[in-house]
Amino acid sequence: MLVMQVIGFVMIFCSGLLAGERMARRYRARYSDLCALRHSLVLLETYVSHTSQPIPRALESVGRSIRGRTGYLLCRLSQVLAGDPRLTLLQAWDFIWTEIDRNGDSQLPVLSPSDLDILGRLFACLGGSGRRDQISHIRLASESLAMNEQAARRDLDTYPRLWRYLGALGAAVLGLAVL
Amino acid sequence: MAALRRDGAVELEDIHKFTSYLPSGIRRSLYEVDETVLDGLIEVRLRLGKPVMLIFDRGERLLGHNGLCRTGEVPMIFTRAMRDETLQLLTDRSVYAVEEELKSGYITIPGGHRVGVVGRAVVSNGAVEAIVDISGINLRMARDVREAAAEIVPHIVGGSLGVYRTLVYSPPGCGKTTLLRDLARRLSDGIETPRPFRVAIVDERSELAGCYRGEPQRDVGSRTDVLDRAPKAVGIMTVIRSMSPEVVITDELGRVEDIRAVEECMNAGVALIASAHAGSLEELACRPAFAAMMSRNCFDLYVRLSNRPKVGTIAEISSKSDAANLVGAKLTSIHAELGDSCWLCR
């Protein structure tokens, strides 16, 4: 009986640790995804300012060179646009996130509502005006993401440790209560 | 006299592809329009804050919210949101990529359809730098009329070059461009000609071949090379040097600088087939560039088109001697007027 109780306690404790670690990882992932997004916007700006590649092809090229979760997101966006020429960029962007809400997709970057809002505003006007105007929009989005990135960096110093402790302590308390 | 047969019926699939460039609201309403009616669609005119207008071969109609506008029904109004959506769809969501083309007031989309735009022109040093705040969009459906040049081919095939140097002229809307396009295809593929010819098209306004990103969207024949968006004077000389064509086809000659290019063609043993705006040979002779070309026998044949009884009717074919006789008197007066600065004497 005691052996079973100990095994149960260990399992609860491990689950708590894993849950805490999982939350901590999300902070790390968001920070690195924001870095990659800013990098991809720099590349996108280069494509827009120096080539005449249409947005879907530029997104695909940037996505392939960035790789990772952000690269996957941009390639997915490009695929959706290529699949239906009647979709605008914003419609394709909304389509992807609706699809994620419905089916889930762990390969996509970890973004907060504030990050999504910045990207949504960018995609609402991306491709809709002249070169100079487009560069302004991309830079504005990049600056806004930089601010979020700084905030994500601060969060990264504080919250992952907090979540790990919370996971371990919470699990220990729950385990003891069960015992 | 022969009329162009307008049997260039468009596949319904092509119409659906064409309408896919329209915003979703307009598209939905167009799905309600009867297919036989839609088959005659020529243009869609979109003006900001104004009803959506459809131009059919039998006249114009306003678009309602569920198909064509009926009496008493409120027509669909073209809004700013629709404008933005249209621009995104027309430019593959990349207006910046066609910024240069937009300066000229039109773009060509896949399928060879031409889209004219107007708005606020940003002018610098007398040239249009950009067109912004676009307020009007005109989508013109491109159609191949495959029999358009059937009647003219026997007249222009022959001579030492195999094809006579020909100028097709008429007022606007008589089918010159359509005829030239079909002519290019026939000469290139050897349809009703003794042999196929190497054809080059100098397409300054992307109307003849309807190029999209350099690729001809209209059928202009398998031995046809297209130089897209090049000014005629430069383009004609470029294709002669680079592609060694037997026939050069171009649309709407008329500037003084075109004379040298036409002469270059003549001296290079290349047959030039071109078009021009003019109601008669007399009107043509009144234009300095054509007066010079006519006096120098740059063309063997002058073909006048008419839109009566049908678009593309061949109304008159004149020889180079007719043109030279006509232009003689005009040239004397031009020379007297210009004196030493007369470009005809250079």
Side-chain angles (χ1 to χ4, degrees):
Chain A
M1 184 65 187
L2 184 68
V3 175
M4 291 298 286
Q5 281 177 330
V6 171
I7 290 172
F9 177 80
V10 170
M11 283 177 74
I12 290 170
F13 187 71
C14 287
S15 308
L17 278 179
L18 283 173
E21 182 57 32
R22 195 175 171 192
M23 288 305 290
R25 267 192 206 161
R26 285 184 65 82
Y27 285 93
R28 237 189 345 258
R30 183 181 167 226
Y31 176 69
S32 62
D33 286 343
L34 281 174
C35 289
L37 262 177
R38 288 225 305 136
H39 187 194
S40 64
L41 287 186
V42 172
L43 280 179
L44 189 63
E45 185 188 322
T46 313
Y47 274 103
V48 169
S49 57
H50 296 296
T51 72
S52 289
Q53 270 200 23
I55 285 288
R57 274 166 57 196
L59 286 175
E60 193 190 350
S61 307
V62 173
R64 280 173 192 267
S65 53
I66 294 281
R67 297 187 183 179
R69 288 186 295 263
T70 305
Y72 174 76
L73 171 71
L74 298 179
C75 287
R76 182 84 189 91
L77 189 58
S78 166
Q79 273 172 8
V80 171
L81 288 170
D84 189 350
R86 293 169 299 183
L87 282 182
T88 65
L89 205 54
L90 186 63
Q91 285 166 343
W93 176 252
D94 289 341
F95 173 81
I96 285 182
W97 292 103
T98 315
E99 195 183 51
I100 292 162
D101 283 346
R102 209 178 300 138
N103 308 323
D105 193 341
S106 58
Q107 291 187 75
L108 285 166
V110 180
L111 298 171
S112 71
S114 151
D115 307 329
L116 290 176
D117 185 46
I118 292 167
L119 291 173
R121 269 183 280 142
L122 172 68
F123 287 125
C125 50
L126 196 62
S129 55
R131 214 173 286 270
R132 210 177 293 173
D133 195 44
Q134 289 296 291
I135 292 168
S136 310
H137 284 301
I138 294 172
R139 283 191 187 159
L140 179 66
S142 186
E143 286 303 310
S144 308
L145 285 177
M147 286 166 65
N148 282 14
E149 191 186 313
Q150 280 175 9
R153 174 75 243 181
R154 283 195 297 273
D155 290 349
L156 190 61
D157 292 337
T158 318
Y159 291 107
R161 200 180 304 155
L162 187 79
W163 276 105
R164 276 190 209 106
Y165 285 142
L166 201 66
L169 289 174
V173 169
L174 189 69
L176 287 172
V178 170
L179 273 176
Chain B
M1 301 228 184
L4 299 184
R5 275 170 264 160
R6 290 188 62 86
D7 54 358
V10 181
E11 293 289 327
L12 203 63
E13 194 187 334
D14 288 341
I15 293 180
H16 285 155
K17 274 186 194 164
F18 175 73
T19 55
S20 71
Y21 295 102
L22 296 166
S24 46
I26 297 180
R27 226 162 40 220
R28 265 196 301 275
S29 180
L30 276 175
Y31 287 145
E32 305 293 323
V33 179
D34 190 73
E35 289 177 358
T36 50
V37 177
L38 212 55
D39 188 48
L41 184 67
I42 296 172
E43 279 179 24
V44 179
R45 286 188 175 263
L46 309 168
R47 298 179 181 97
L48 213 54
K50 300 279 190 303
V52 174
M53 199 174 278
L54 306 175
I55 316 290
F56 293 98
D57 48 4
R58 289 175 189 171
E60 62 181 42
R61 294 287 301 271
L62 299 183
L63 187 70
H65 292 272
N66 286 302
L68 296 177
C69 203
R70 294 168 198 91
T71 317
E73 197 183 333
V74 180
M76 184 180 282
I77 302 295
F78 187 60
T79 61
R80 277 179 193 279
M82 283 178 171
R83 188 264 320 259
D84 294 344
E85 192 180 342
T86 312
L87 282 176
Q88 281 224 9
L89 298 178
L90 288 171
T91 60
D92 197 6
R93 308 88 168 183
S94 316
V95 174
Y96 66 89
V98 295
E99 222 175 1
E100 284 297 313
E101 291 177 59
L102 274 177
K103 280 183 194 174
S104 57
Y106 63 89
I107 55 171
T108 307
I109 56 174
H113 312 296
R114 266 180 56 139
V115 181
V117 292
V118 289
R120 184 166 60 84
V122 181
V123 180
S124 172
N125 297 325
V128 177
E129 279 281 298
I131 294 181
V132 295
D133 299 335
I134 288 168
S135 58
I137 300 172
N138 174 25
L139 290 98
R140 204 166 162 191
M141 179 126 191
R143 289 161 188 259
D144 279 330
V145 183
R146 291 191 162 255
E147 296 297 317
E151 308 293 341
I152 200 177
V153 167
H155 296 287
I156 67 159
V157 173
S160 58
L161 301 175
V163 175
Y164 289 116
R165 293 165 302 184
T166 308
L167 184 72
V168 180
Y169 65 96
S170 77
C174 291
K176 294 186 291 292
T177 307
T178 311
L179 183 135
L180 288 184
R181 189 185 301 128
D182 192 45
L183 198 54
R185 187 178 65 86
R186 284 169 179 273
L187 293 174
S188 176
D189 291 343
I191 301 169
E192 292 162 24
T193 60
R195 64 179 176 87
F197 292 89
R198 287 191 308 275
V199 178
I201 292 179
V202 179
D203 201 1
E204 188 168 352
R205 303 195 304 157
S206 299
E207 271 191 311
L208 276 172
C211 283
Y212 176 70
R213 293 188 186 147
E215 187 187 341
Q217 302 288 300
R218 312 247 56 91
D219 183 6
V220 286
S222 50
R223 291 172 192 82
T224 302
D225 302 301
V226 182
L227 184 62
D228 189 41
R229 295 213 168 226
K232 280 179 280 287
V234 181
I236 289 173
M237 295 204 214
T238 306
V239 291
I240 288 175
R241 285 173 199 147
S242 59
M243 304 311 289
S244 62
E246 294 170 287
V247 180
V248 172
I249 296 181
T250 191
D251 212 3
E252 291 178 20
L253 281 181
R255 286 177 296 207
V256 175
E257 59 264 31
D258 296 340
I259 302 171
R260 256 194 81 194
V262 173
E263 279 185 330
E264 185 86 4
C265 256
M266 202 165 79
N267 298 331
V270 177
L272 177 72
I273 300 175
S275 69
H277 284 301
S280 64
L281 211 54
E282 286 77 16
E283 282 180 24
L284 211 55
C286 289
R287 295 171 66 180
F290 288 113
M293 289 182 214
M294 287 158 92
S295 70
R296 294 173 196 187
N297 289 332
C298 289
F299 293 102
D300 300 315
L301 290 177
Y302 294 83
V303 178
R304 181 162 70 85
L305 292 187
S306 165
N307 56 2
R308 286 181 197 158
K310 276 185 172 179
V311 169
T313 302
I314 299 173
E316 184 185 359
I317 297 179
S318 314
S319 68
K320 59 182 173 186
S321 55
D322 296 337
N325 291 340
L326 186 76
V327 85
K330 301 269 182 199
L331 282 180
T332 314
S333 65
I334 289 172
H335 182 69
E337 195 180 316
L338 296 175
D340 290 341
S341 61
C342 180
W343 40 263
L344 288 168
C345 305
R346 280 176 212 157

